[in-house]
Amino acid sequence: MQDAIEQLFDSKPDTYSAHHFALFAQFKQALNAGDVRAAEPDASQASGWRVNRWVKKGILLGFRLGGIVDMSIDPARQPFLDKSTYPVRKVTPQDGIRIVPGGSSIRDGCFIGRGVTCMPPMYINAGAYVSDGVMVDSHALIGSCAQIGKNCHISAAAQMGGVLEPVGALPVIIEDEVLIGGNCGVYEGTVVKRLAVLGTGTILNRSTPVYDIVRETVYRATEDQPLIIPEGAVVVAGSRAVTSGKGREWGISIYTPVIVKYRDDRTGARIQLEDLLR
């Protein structure tokens, strides 16, 4: 399947045949089953993760193949027009997924593990991988190709940005048992290691360094590596003073995430309260 997907992506035909649509349907089924992923753990990589370029090519291929169709249940009151290749994902009680009514959507072509809870209105995009026991709270986004580990809590209005293009770019990675606070944003291929906690309003991307006042170091993305938040880090939104020019004269500070501690028993006890909602 990998060779066929890559050949079709790299050599666009004049028209797409029934065989091409069947190939994409097989690929999308593998995405839904979790048999293929846009990224997967790889201990040989500094980030601990490897991007699967061909899988991202397959996801993009779906947008080429599909035409815009009307999939509305009620076109007058709630129009739904999208690519025919990416309808809403079918979910049955046997999947063990809770979808609370109120406007949530899961796009076809993503893996959703058992015990996932979807609070309305939240959105999970194509190519995402959401492991068992995850809570996706109201107004939260799991972006295309984002990888979410087991037993994470994605709090209200948190945005996990994913990354679909370019195909070689690592998507957003949230490892096991991470707590993402409300109104957080994780973007541009940032990797959040297991057991980390992001306090309310924390924003992580390639442009903003993270200051670790516990270990007295600064974490930055490089040309070759994404921003990586260490295991068990507790990150909060902070600021640092501008020390030169008009910024200093005007007393301006700029936003920066700060690691203020590492997860301990007290942090764990507070997070365990979330299990009551599962």
Side-chain angles (χ1 to χ4, degrees), residues 12-152:
K12 183 179 179 181
D14 293 333
T15 59
Y16 291 108
S17 67
H19 170 74
H20 296 146
F21 282 94
L23 172 65
F24 178 71
Q26 180 188 5
F27 168 76
K28 193 167 61 172
Q29 183 178 4
L31 282 174
N32 285 334
D35 295 333
V36 299
R37 300 173 60 171
E40 59 186 295
D42 184 346
S44 69
Q45 303 295 315
S47 66
W49 289 79
R50 178 184 75 250
V51 62
N52 291 323
R53 295 168 180 257
W54 77 272
V55 175
K56 295 177 77 175
K57 287 181 178 181
I59 295 165
L60 288 167
L61 184 61
F63 291 100
R64 290 187 192 171
L65 284 164
I68 296 177
V69 296
D70 189 342
M71 293 183 272
S72 308
I73 296 174
D74 185 333
R77 291 199 278 179
Q78 187 63 64
F80 173 21
L81 295 94
D82 201 357
K83 292 282 188 171
S84 57
T85 42
Y86 286 113
V88 172
R89 189 185 188 281
K90 294 181 180 179
V91 179
T92 70
Q94 288 69 40
D95 294 321
I97 300 168
R98 290 173 58 197
I99 304 178
V100 180
S104 296
S105 294
I106 303 173
R107 213 172 190 183
D108 204 14
C110 64
F111 174 76
I112 309 294
R114 297 190 67 81
V116 170
T117 301
C118 302
M119 298 299 293
M122 58 98 249
Y123 183 70
I124 301 175
N125 208 347
Y129 186 101
V130 182
S131 299
D132 296 349
V134 172
M135 167 72 79
V136 186
D137 216 332
S138 301
H139 298 281
L141 164 71
I142 310 296
S144 182
C145 299
Q147 308 287 299
I148 311 297
K150 292 181 179 179
N151 300 321
C152 292

